[in-house]
Amino acid sequence: MNKPALPFPIGRTELVIMMASLMSLNALAIDIMLPALGLISDDLRLTDPNDRQWIVTSYIYGMAIGSIIYGSLADRYGRKPILAVTISIYVAVGIICAFTNDFQLLLIARFTQGLAAAAMGVLVNSIIRDRYEGDAMARNMSTIMMVFMIVPVTAPILGQIVLFFAEWHVIFLVLSAIGLAVLTWVMLRLPETLRPENATPIEFVAVTSAWRAVIFHRNSFGHVMAAGLMFAPLFAFIASAQQIFFDRFGAADIFVYIFAINAAAMSLGNFVNSRIVMRFGARRVSQWALITFITISLIHLGVTYAGHLTLPLFVAFLAPAMAMVGFTGANFSSIAMQPFGRIAGVASSFQNFARTGLSAGIGGAIGLQFDGTTLPLVTGFVICGSAALLLVLWAENGILFRRVQTGVTPDQIAANQLAK
């Protein structure tokens, strides 16, 4: 259901595309680098082949830590000023990355860029929560994710195109140019969505109270952690994809296209989800997707362990698994945000911190286990999916596939069912 309208000069379509563009700055900063990781490793004379993964994971760790910062600031000063500052930092640090040949300095700059870009995920959630709730929020978040997923499909191809004409440093200048374009659009068109009556002073007691509310809200926290576990295999795949396709399968020439297939599958999942979530509900759709993800991953693990995995089979298993991640991500996040309309900024900030921190930590650890085979990655898929299902069962009091009306908690439904 739409919330009572504030003066809002842009329509839903422009808002969705703008929010997707903001989120895309993160995906772009990660995925555009993938074709260049081997070149960077050679150019900077890295001794351990897995060290190249830190170019990706340092950015993701910055995103995780930065997520805790912006909710309180956005709830106090508004969404738009925080976006203006953080995108500006994103642009400036990209320029620094373009002019360094020191690996340690590059990692520090990448971490800082991720630290600033963490605001995108936090504030997109907050802005959409300012305007929508319940399944309507899930539908809009899924549409945003669908548009956003165009970037993982095209970013590695864009990075490869840059490498045809220039060396890897130029990729960072491309990132900064795109960031500047998004910043200009936001400043010219996005109105402030924080309601004046919802502005919250930055007080330590109030902030920690909001954090406690998120942590001890069983259903919300369970879905936050489940979402983190579902994104962990995705981060592990992204971090190790270049090595998997170059070293394990010898598919360097078609790497960007295979990566695009899997990103497109995830985008398709978000597209279908945006069309069916209002009919079936975020819980039903995401829970079926989670069970399907586990089933696919178990079959994938069996084939891998038996030594029968080929490149076509790897893609055949990976693409539908990524599609299921597309079904779970937006829905889990929307379910987790539902109880926190008045403290959307702080809640979104803490949830992004917990979700991204968990996924970055586990995903990075899985990626660093790369041993020339895909077995560590596929094993990670099974473990993370199974743990996510256990968390959802805990969050939902052991009852799956139900639809919860806006404003009615699963605990209330369980109590009503027991009373009957």
Side-chain angles (χ1 to χ4, degrees), residues 240-251:
S240 57
Q242 189 264 346
Q243 291 166 277
I244 288 173
F245 290 114
F246 280 55
D247 302 339
R248 167 63 179 85
F249 292 115

Side-chain angles (χ1 to χ4, degrees), residues 23 40 47 76 154 186 223 237 287 326 368 389:
M23 291 185 67
I40 296 174
T47 55
R76 170 62 180 89
T154 58
V186 167
H223 281 93
F237 169 65
Q287 289 160 11
L368 289 172
L389 179 59

Side-chain angles (χ1 to χ4, degrees), residues 275-309:
R275 294 296 182 269
I276 67 174
V277 70
M278 293 294 288
R279 178 178 178 184
F280 297 106
R283 283 174 167 81
R284 292 175 180 172
V285 172
S286 58
Q287 289 160 11
W288 275 116
L290 176 54
I291 291 171
T292 304
F293 174 88
I294 295 170
T295 303
I296 294 169
S297 299
L298 282 169
I299 299 171
H300 191 175
L301 179 62
V303 172
T304 303
Y305 191 77
H308 299 309
L309 191 68

Side-chain angles (χ1 to χ4, degrees), residues 140-221:
N140 281 280
M141 284 302 300
S142 190
T143 305
I144 288 169
M145 291 296 291
M146 178 189 68
V147 178
F148 153 79
M149 285 307 300
I150 295 172
V151 173
V153 173
T154 58
I157 297 174
L158 177 60
Q160 189 65 68
I161 291 172
V162 172
L163 293 176
F164 282 145
F165 298 98
E167 44 87 44
W168 59 266
H169 292 86
V170 178
I171 290 177
F172 291 105
L173 295 178
V174 172
L175 280 179
S176 291
I178 294 172
L180 184 60
V182 173
L183 174 62
T184 303
W185 185 16
V186 167
M187 297 310 296
L188 291 177
R189 294 289 297 161
L190 180 67
E192 180 56 60
T193 62
L194 177 66
R195 292 169 174 269
E197 64 270 23
N198 286 345
T200 306
I202 301 176
E203 298 174 352
F204 179 77
V205 173
V207 171
T208 54
S209 176
W211 292 352
R212 284 196 301 272
V214 174
I215 292 172
F216 290 104
H217 192 290
R218 175 171 171 166
N219 192 265
S220 176
F221 191 69

